[in-house]
């Protein structure tokens, strides 16, 4: 593929894209089906829902930093394949246990925790693999296309999950998530491009290698600000996720299919954001896409706790769509920036350091959401969660990004000295 041509003509990127489509669709089906399985079928309490949310991302907190070192030493495509096959096998156990009449919340927690470990390695390898596959000059386009897939899946997945849960039970619907990961692996197997050999070099101790990745992330002002915003938003997002499905089913009184439709309406904003991200970034600059867009759109989430039957339900859908529009544009710009400036040998550790912070806080937020749901009620917990999400934008608004239009697009020569 020539330097100036579109990634539509890049055969291996199309295979990665197709695999990502299957994986994302399955993930968003699972993101709705698993909480519904716990809330409706297994009668989970708000605190147990908080535990479930925490289990999904606990691996990022416990293993996030060393995982980056290991990914930098291995073939990133092989890591992704192993993770996909592992997730398929784990999720297959849920419907089997349900059909046998032995499924428990404890098993669901263990499966979700182990799937989270596999997802940790997949995500770090995935974001580290893209620059070598398409070249740094195509990162904005590549991330926009992948984000568009995620946004479409965010609409189709919850809608399909809500209907399927009512038709074939939540446990059987989880199987679709597993097949999404299996399909992703099959497409990854078809990629023909030779991946650069990992820079194994002399085997230094684990802690100095972890520290090198952390220094790279936190020595860069714009990158440090985006980590602060994403981490704080994800922390309160974890609290939000822990109680939102319970709020919609128990407080608002929605059926599973209606929950899926409402989540899909909110996700529509993400599709529009992904389709517009390239044009908006070119128009206002990458730096402004990171701070100005979420500042103007994220307050849309403040209407979500107002959801109730009637017109207020539609208002919640519109507010969610506005928020996701801005979040998607922010994600494309921020992820493309950190991939562009990081040397190849540090990509795994850089992505792991970022993920450790921005995903490692989600289980803590999930536990907070469960506790707030028990203490303040579900609507009160949602108010705290969305207020925290909106306040997170202050990290980038008060950073040097506010005085910039564009950001560097070339990799730095290396990490700063200790």
């Amino acid at each position: 593929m020539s330097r100036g041509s579109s990634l539509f003509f890049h055969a291996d990127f199309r295979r990665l894209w197709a695999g990502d489509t299957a994986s994302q669709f399955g993930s968003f089906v699972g993101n709705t089906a698993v909480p519904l399985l716990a809330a409706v079928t297994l009668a989970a309490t708000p605190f147990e829902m908080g535990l479930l949310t925490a289990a999904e991302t606990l691996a990022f907190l416990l293993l996030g930093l060393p995982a980056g070192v290991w990914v930098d030493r291995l073939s990133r495509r092989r890591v992704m394949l192993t993770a996909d096959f592992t997730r398929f096998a784990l999720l297959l156990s849920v419907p089997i246990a349900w059909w046998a009449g032995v499924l428990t919340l404890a098993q669901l927690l263990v499966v979700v925790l182990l799937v989270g470990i596999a997802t940790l390695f997949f995500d770090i390898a995935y974001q580290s693999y893209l620059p070598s596959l398409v070249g740094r000059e195509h990162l904005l386009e590549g991330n926009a296309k992948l984000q568009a897939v995620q946004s479409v899946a965010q609409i189709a997945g919850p809608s399909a999950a809500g209907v399927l849960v009512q038709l074939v039970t939540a446990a059987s619907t989880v199987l679709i998530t597993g097949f999404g990961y299996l399909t992703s692996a099959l497409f990854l197997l078809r990629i023909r491009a030779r991946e650069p050999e990992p820079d194994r070099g002399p085997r230094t101790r684990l802690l100095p290698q972890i520290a090198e990745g952390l220094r790279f992330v936190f020595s860069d002002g714009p990158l440090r600000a985006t980590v602060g915003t994403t981490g704080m938003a994800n922390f309160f997002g974890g609290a939000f996720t822990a109680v939102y499905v319970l709020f919609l089913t128990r407080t608002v009184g929605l059926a599973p299919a209606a929950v899926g439709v409402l989540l899909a309406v909110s996700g529509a904003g993400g599709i529009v954001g992904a389709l517009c991200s390239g044009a908006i970034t070119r128009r206002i600059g990458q730096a402004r896409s990171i701070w100005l867009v979420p500042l103007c759109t994220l307050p849309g989430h403040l209407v979500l706790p107002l959801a109730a039957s009637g017109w207020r339900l539609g208002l919640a859908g519109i507010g969610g769509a506005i928020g996701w529009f801005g979040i998607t544009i922010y994600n494309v710009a921020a992820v493309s920036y950190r991939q562009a400036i990081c040397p190849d040998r540090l990509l795994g550790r850089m992505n792991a350091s970022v993920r450790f912070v921005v995903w490692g806080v989600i289980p803590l937020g999930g536990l907070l959401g469960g506790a707030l749901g028990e203490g303040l009620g579900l609507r009160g917990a949602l108010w705290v969660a969305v207020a925290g999400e909106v306040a997170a934008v202050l990290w980038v608004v008060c950073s040097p990004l506010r005085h910039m239009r564009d950001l560097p697009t070339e990799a730095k020569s290396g990490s700063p000295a200790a």
Side-chain angles (χ1 to χ4, degrees):
M1 187 188 76
S2 64
R3 181 181 178 89
S5 59
S6 168
L7 289 178
F8 280 117
F9 303 102
H10 192 301
D12 283 331
F13 177 77
R14 290 200 306 270
R15 296 181 182 111
L16 179 69
W17 198 10
D20 184 60
T21 300
S23 176
Q24 292 288 354
F25 180 80
S27 292
F28 279 102
V29 168
N31 287 348
T32 302
V34 170
L36 284 172
L37 175 62
V40 177
T41 306
L42 300 178
T45 67
F47 182 71
E48 288 171 336
M49 293 295 286
L51 289 177
L52 187 64
T53 300
E56 290 177 358
T57 51
L58 186 61
F60 289 87
L61 182 63
L62 300 182
L63 299 174
L65 293 176
V69 177
W70 297 326
V71 167
D72 275 339
R73 294 175 178 175
L74 301 169
S75 163
R76 287 154 186 169
R77 187 168 74 113
R78 190 173 298 122
V79 171
M80 292 157 63
L81 284 166
T82 302
D84 271 340
F85 285 125
T86 300
R87 291 187 287 187
F88 168 68
L90 287 167
L91 289 170
L92 183 61
S93 72
V94 174
I96 290 176
W98 170 252
W99 298 330
V102 295
L103 181 65
T104 64
L105 185 65
Q107 178 187 339
L108 194 61
L109 284 168
V110 171
V111 168
V112 166
L113 176 64
L114 295 177
V115 167
I117 293 174
T119 298
L120 162 70
F121 281 92
F122 182 93
D123 284 357
I124 293 172
Y126 181 75
Q127 292 196 344
S128 304
Y129 182 61
L130 185 65
S132 67
L133 184 69
V134 304
R136 295 175 189 271
E137 68 273 16
H138 292 288
L139 283 175
L140 270 173
E141 181 189 357
N143 281 313
K145 285 179 167 57
L146 295 171
Q147 189 70 54
V149 163
Q150 180 177 333
S151 299
V152 171
Q154 193 172 353
I155 287 183
S159 300
V163 173
L164 288 169
V165 165
Q166 290 196 271
L167 292 177
V168 299
T169 75
S172 298
T173 303
V174 172
L175 186 59
I176 295 175
T177 299
F179 278 112
Y181 296 135
L182 178 62
T183 304
S184 171
L186 296 178
F187 275 108
L188 287 174
L189 285 170
R190 296 187 61 220
I191 292 178
R192 297 288 176 259
R194 291 182 60 86
E195 182 182 351
E197 287 294 320
D199 181 17
R200 293 183 174 92
R203 290 298 181 93
T204 57
R205 290 178 300 165
L206 186 66
L207 289 179
Q209 293 185 72
I210 290 174
E212 189 177 15
L214 288 169
R215 282 198 304 272
F216 183 89
V217 170
F218 289 103
S219 66
D220 183 88
L223 182 53
R224 185 171 60 245
T226 62
V227 169
T229 286
T230 308
M232 183 173 172
N234 282 357
F235 174 76
F236 286 102
F240 178 89
T241 301
V243 296
Y244 194 45
V245 169
L246 280 179
F247 170 73
L248 293 176
T249 55
R250 297 183 184 177
T251 303
V252 182
L254 298 183
V259 172
V261 170
L262 180 61
L263 294 177
V265 170
S266 297
I271 293 182
V272 178
L275 294 176
C276 296
S277 62
I280 289 176
T281 299
R282 288 189 296 271
R283 180 77 174 179
I284 68 174
Q286 191 173 358
R288 292 173 185 161
S289 295
I290 291 174
W291 73 267
L292 181 60
V293 172
L295 178 65
C296 295
T297 58
L298 201 55
H301 278 185
L302 290 172
V303 302
L304 296 179
L306 298 175
S309 58
W311 65 270
R312 286 167 61 182
L313 199 59
L315 181 64
I318 294 171
I322 292 171
W324 276 109
F325 172 83
I327 289 169
T328 302
I329 294 173
Y330 165 87
N331 282 340
V332 170
V335 171
S336 298
Y337 170 68
R338 73 176 189 242
Q339 288 173 330
I341 65 167
C342 185
D344 287 339
R345 69 180 189 85
L346 277 175
L347 276 167
R349 279 169 283 173
M350 179 276 293
N351 283 315
S353 298
V354 173
R355 287 288 172 128
F356 168 73
V357 177
V358 305
W359 284 68
V361 296
I362 295 177
L364 304 178
L367 294 175
L368 173 66
L372 290 174
E374 298 274 6
L376 299 179
L378 298 175
R379 198 183 298 272
L382 283 182
W383 276 118
V384 174
V386 296
E389 284 183 316
V390 173
V393 76
L394 293 175
W395 282 88
V396 287
V397 170
C398 298
S399 76
L401 286 163
R402 191 160 54 89
H403 306 291
M404 303 166 68
R405 183 187 188 279
D406 296 305
L407 294 168
T409 57
E410 296 295 328
K412 297 181 178 181
S413 58
S415 61

